[in-house]
């Protein structure tokens, strides 16, 4: 089964929307190129598709699957997904092939989290304060990797863990680079120990 992986930039104060507001314009195209590097197929929401698909080199040659409820201008290697997006994406995950990477598209990422279809998240964290904007709810993320990038950036990789009941405890405090400290309230059932017999 293929995975759906979100790739986002984030400011050091946790803002993940509208990076064009808090990243220098010349650098933004390169950042999107980095987020798309090594991917064969990307998932894009309508706004991200219209804003970047035709202008960013890293998105021109990859297969682009677009979720849009209104018509969009065609770009090469693009397909608009038809039908109920939750069912379509759940079916796409079952089709053998390369992982599906979501580039930007915060609304789409939130929907994927709500539908429990998102598997991994990669955040490229920039040493810039956005000041205001939208933060991503990271309570269900488990940090699995953290490495230093160029120009003071950090790349944080997360695995998404969905609670069995869908209810998580309240966040006690947020970590500087996007981690959180909390106490899980997911009930667990006791397991019978497995014994090996000679």
């Amino acid at each position: 089964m293929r995975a759906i992986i979100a790739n986002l930039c984030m400011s050091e104060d946790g803002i993940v929307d509208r990076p064009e507001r808090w990243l220098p314009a010349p650098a933004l195209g390169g950042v999107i190129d980095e987020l798309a590097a090594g991917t064969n197929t990307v998932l894009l929401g309508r706004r991200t598709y219209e804003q970047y698909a035709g202008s960013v080199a890293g998105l021109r040659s990859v297969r682009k699957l677009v979720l849009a409820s209104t018509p969009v201008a065609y770009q090469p290697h693009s397909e608009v997904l038809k039908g109920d997006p939750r069912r379509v994406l759940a079916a796409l995950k079952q089709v053998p092939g390369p992982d599906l990477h979501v580039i930007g598209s915060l609304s789409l990422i939130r929907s994927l989290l709500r539908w429990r279809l998102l598997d991994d998240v990669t955040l490229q964290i920039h040493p810039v304060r956005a000041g205001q904007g939208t933060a991503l709810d990271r309570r269900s993320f488990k940090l699995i990797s953290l490495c230093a990038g160029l120009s003071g950036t950090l790349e944080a990789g997360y695995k998404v863990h969905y609670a069995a009941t869908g209810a998580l405890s309240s966040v006690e405090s947020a970590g500087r680079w996007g981690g959180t400290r909390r106490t899980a309230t997911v009930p667990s059932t006791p397991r019978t120990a497995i014994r090996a017999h000679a």
Side-chain angles (χ1 to χ4, degrees):
M1 186 169 81
R2 61 168 75 173
I4 298 182
I5 302 165
N7 301 274
L8 281 168
C9 351
M10 186 172 83
S11 65
E12 68 175 12
D13 51 346
I15 302 304
V16 291
D17 72 328
R18 307 288 178 112
E20 65 274 7
R21 292 181 178 174
W22 44 268
L23 277 179
L28 186 56
V31 168
I32 295 171
D33 282 341
E34 287 177 36
L35 293 175
T39 63
N40 296 311
T41 306
V42 297
L43 286 171
L44 299 170
R46 179 190 54 80
R47 188 166 52 196
T48 304
Y49 173 78
E50 290 179 341
Q51 192 166 0
Y52 299 115
S55 60
V56 175
L59 293 178
R60 286 190 198 132
S61 59
V62 298
R63 181 183 182 205
K64 294 172 282 294
L65 304 178
V66 186
L67 284 166
S69 57
T70 57
V72 295
Y74 174 76
Q75 297 287 345
H77 312 291
S78 301
E79 304 164 45
V80 176
L81 299 178
K82 303 289 186 184
D84 176 33
R86 182 178 185 173
R87 291 185 179 183
V88 169
L89 292 174
L92 273 175
K93 287 188 72 168
Q94 303 301 321
V95 177
D99 292 337
L100 305 171
H101 290 261
V102 183
I103 308 297
S105 307
L106 183 58
S107 296
L108 173 56
I109 290 169
R110 285 176 162 168
S111 295
L112 289 166
L113 286 167
R114 191 171 63 251
W115 300 332
R116 297 178 171 229
L117 292 176
L118 191 64
D119 299 290
D120 301 292
V121 176
T122 300
L123 295 177
Q124 190 181 89
I125 305 163
H126 295 262
V128 175
R129 288 187 62 80
Q132 62 181 0
T134 304
L136 184 65
D137 183 357
R138 300 180 300 274
R139 290 178 292 175
S140 59
F141 296 1
K142 180 180 180 183
L143 184 66
I144 56 173
S145 66
L146 186 65
C147 61
L150 300 174
S151 305
T153 61
L154 289 176
E155 185 174 294
Y158 298 88
K159 183 66 73 176
V160 181
H161 289 274
Y162 297 102
T165 62
L168 290 172
S169 66
S170 60
V171 176
E172 293 169 1
S173 62
R176 182 176 181 192
W177 302 114
T180 56
R181 293 195 299 271
R182 60 180 169 78
T183 304
T185 56
V186 179
S188 60
T189 53
R191 294 184 177 180
T192 306
I194 300 173
R195 297 178 181 169
H197 298 282

